[in-house]
Amino acid sequence: MNLFKTIFRFEWIQLKRQYAQLFALALFLIIGCYAVYSGSSVIKHQKTVIDTLNQQYNSDYELAVRKFTDTSTPESKAQAANAGVPQAIDFRLPPVASNQPKGFASLAVGQRDVNPYYQKVRSQVDFLDNGNMELSNPSTLSAGNFDLSFVLVYLLPLLIITLCYGSYAEEKEQGTYALLTIQSASISRIMIYKLLFRAAVVLVVTGLLSSIAFIAAEIIGATSLSDILLWSYITLMYIAFWFAVCYFFIQLKNSSIATALKLVGVWLFFLIALPSITNAYLSLANPVPLRADLASFARHAAEEVWETKPAALAALFNKNNPQYNSSINPAKDSTQNGQRFIVGYYDLLERKVSGYAKAINDEIEARNAQAQLLAKFSPSVTMQYLYNAIAQSGRDGHMDFQRQLSVFQKKWKHHIYSRQLAEVNFTREELKDLPKFTKANPTSSTEILKGSLSIWAGLMLFLLLANWNGKRESSSINL
């Protein structure tokens, strides 16, 4: 214990004299604070867009309600008579389905900047609708957004390397190694204590930065406690992983320059080269299907369905949707002006395009599954996946939003079709009961904990290698 206290006291004195390391710590904090601001700006913009859409919906709702009672002019009287027509409600009051960002989304923007986060839902599905895609700076999309998760995944390892690379070499180069060897039974224990001091410094700085981020993102309350604990857990695990890497290379007892070069090489391999190689392999093995293929198929399918005879189209709709058979009217359904021809056209087109889109989505899912498997060998990709999982801002979070959106769209379509086919209008009071989209936001702690196992495996591997190298050197010295 005396040795532990002595080394910690000595390292603290040394840290106060190492202006380069103090500058690195200060720079890391400054960059981290800017990352918190940058991520918050992106999420604040998205929240503003969603609030604007909700306000617009409320304005449209009030306008639709006024149309029921406004009979001041002949034109408004005609509009009042048709104010509750289901097709008009579907067009004027499409509900807004939004993927509301969680509090942690500003800490890990993930793919929220490239994936649609809202959708105006109508009874017809437009597979090529880009109305919810915002114009973005191409350079920003290419580089990605700068947020706290980026700082922790990419820059925190460099800070750890800066603090640790000279832990052994500085003793050797300053001539104090021989004295330490005489006064202590184990130089490895001294190195471990020195690394523990540096780990304590990194934990304090990272904890301070995370606290600032939590406060800025207004992440408070018992409901966020589990997410805070998960965020802290995986951050602590990542710090431990990089200290294990540094410990292994310090155990090789090279010069400070050689150790620094090797550690930077490992950083480049894990965070730059390995993800690039993985992405290149996936692009060759599982190329992403072109959206133009879906557009071409949808266009040809629309022409084919339109050529179908009204009676045949209505019969096919009745077969596929028996829940609406109570409103069958053979006389009206056999013409292009009949409601069954209209809804039958969109229903059959959606079924055809959905089948083709499903095949494309299956290819994408296969690629994603393979990417997730390969990510286990890349610490940086794994960590980004874990941070995004907590914030629900990654690929899985977007796919969950799409699944919930699809379920709600079917609910809305049934609500409109049941009135449209029966030719029954909505009343003014019934507008209050129109379906509204509410997204569930479950965080799977189990999946996050499982995803962290590969980082723990890498950590244990480097510790075992360091231990093996230490024993090998001890054996050679004894011989």
Side-chain angles (χ1 to χ4, degrees), residues 234-305:
I234 63 175
T235 302
L236 179 62
M237 173 190 65
Y238 194 55
I239 291 173
F241 169 80
W242 277 102
F243 269 98
V245 173
C246 291
Y247 179 59
F248 167 70
F249 282 97
I250 289 170
Q251 282 286 75
L252 298 179
K253 298 180 180 178
N254 299 132
S255 66
S256 57
I257 294 178
T259 303
L261 289 175
K262 289 178 180 179
L263 287 171
V264 171
V266 172
W267 180 86
L268 288 172
F269 175 74
F270 278 142
L271 279 77
I272 307 297
L274 190 56
S276 299
I277 293 171
T278 301
N279 189 57
Y281 168 76
L282 289 173
S283 298
L284 292 174
N286 295 289
V288 178
L290 295 176
R291 184 177 176 83
D293 294 340
L294 180 61
S296 177
F297 180 86
R299 184 174 63 254
H300 290 298
E303 295 173 356
E304 179 184 343
V305 173

Side-chain angles (χ1 to χ4, degrees), residues 120-133:
K120 288 188 175 182
V121 180
R122 290 189 168 88
S123 58
Q124 299 88 27
V125 178
D126 187 353
F127 291 91
L128 305 177
D129 179 22
N130 288 322
N132 56 345
M133 295 295 292

Side-chain angles (χ1 to χ4, degrees), residues 95-395:
V96 178
S98 60
N99 186 10
Q100 192 73 236
K102 289 185 63 179
F104 276 85
S106 60
L107 279 62
V109 175
Q111 298 180 5
R112 287 192 63 93
D113 56 333
V114 294
N115 288 327
Y117 56 92
Y118 65 87
Q119 178 74 53
K120 288 188 175 182
V121 180
R122 290 189 168 88
S123 58
Q124 299 88 27
V125 178
D126 187 353
F127 291 91
L128 305 177
D129 179 22
N130 288 322
N132 56 345
M133 295 295 292
E134 299 181 6
L135 295 177
S136 302
N137 189 330
S139 61
T140 301
L141 294 178
S142 176
N145 282 290
F146 194 59
D147 54 25
L148 182 59
S149 67
F150 179 90
V151 172
L152 295 178
V153 172
Y154 287 90
L155 302 186
L156 181 58
L158 289 177
L159 176 65
I160 294 173
I161 291 171
T162 302
L163 296 175
C164 294
Y165 77 92
S167 299
Y168 167 80
E170 65 185 9
E171 305 292 352
K172 193 80 171 179
E173 293 164 359
Q174 293 172 5
T176 57
Y177 176 76
L179 292 175
L180 290 173
T181 305
I182 295 173
Q183 296 177 7
S184 175
S186 174
I187 192 67
S188 295
R189 185 190 304 173
I190 295 176
M191 291 300 107
I192 290 174
Y193 289 166
K194 288 167 70 71
L195 290 180
L196 285 176
F197 173 81
R198 286 157 172 78
V201 172
V202 171
L203 286 175
V204 169
V205 173
T206 307
L208 176 61
L209 186 57
S210 296
S211 299
I212 294 172
F214 296 157
I215 295 172
E218 299 180 353
I219 301 172
I220 55 176
T223 55
S224 301
L225 180 59
S226 61
D227 289 343
I228 292 175
L229 292 175
L230 283 173
W231 183 279
S232 302
Y233 160 72
I234 63 175
T235 302
L236 179 62
M237 173 190 65
Y238 194 55
I239 291 173
F241 169 80
W242 277 102
F243 269 98
V245 173
C246 291
Y247 179 59
F248 167 70
F249 282 97
I250 289 170
Q251 282 286 75
L252 298 179
K253 298 180 180 178
N254 299 132
S255 66
S256 57
I257 294 178
T259 303
L261 289 175
K262 289 178 180 179
L263 287 171
V264 171
V266 172
W267 180 86
L268 288 172
F269 175 74
F270 278 142
L271 279 77
I272 307 297
L274 190 56
S276 299
I277 293 171
T278 301
N279 189 57
Y281 168 76
L282 289 173
S283 298
L284 292 174
N286 295 289
V288 178
L290 295 176
R291 184 177 176 83
D293 294 340
L294 180 61
S296 177
F297 180 86
R299 184 174 63 254
H300 290 298
E303 295 173 356
E304 179 184 343
V305 173
W306 185 256
E307 294 298 327
T308 306
K309 293 182 178 180
L313 195 59
L316 191 58
F317 175 82
N318 294 336
K319 179 182 178 181
N320 292 329
N321 301 274
Q323 67 270 28
Y324 304 120
N325 285 352
S326 59
S327 59
I328 292 177
N329 187 331
K332 291 184 178 180
D333 296 343
S334 59
T335 66
Q336 287 192 342
N337 294 326
Q339 296 298 332
R340 259 176 171 68
F341 174 79
I342 298 172
V343 298
Y345 166 80
Y346 287 109
D347 182 74
L348 182 57
L349 178 61
E350 180 182 339
R351 290 176 185 275
K352 285 180 174 291
V353 181
S354 294
Y356 188 84
K358 183 180 183 304
I360 294 178
N361 289 334
D362 288 343
E363 292 182 36
I364 295 176
E365 284 300 314
R367 173 191 170 93
N368 291 340
Q370 192 170 13
Q372 195 164 338
L373 179 63
L374 293 174
K376 297 181 184 298
F377 301 96
S378 176
S380 61
V381 177
T382 298
M383 286 299 299
Q384 194 65 65
Y385 167 80
L386 294 175
Y387 281 132
N388 290 347
I390 295 175
Q392 293 187 5
S393 58
R395 180 185 64 243

Side-chain angles (χ1 to χ4, degrees), residues 412-447:
W412 175 260
K413 180 172 68 173
H414 174 70
H415 198 71
I416 296 296
Y417 279 7
S418 60
R419 295 300 189 103
Q420 182 177 347
L421 293 172
E423 298 185 357
V424 177
N425 291 349
F426 288 97
T427 64
R428 178 183 176 183
E429 290 72 23
E430 287 174 335
L431 294 187
K432 299 177 182 178
D433 300 323
L434 291 175
K436 291 181 174 57
F437 178 83
T438 303
K439 182 179 179 294
N441 290 313
T443 299
S444 179
S445 302
T446 304
E447 291 300 319

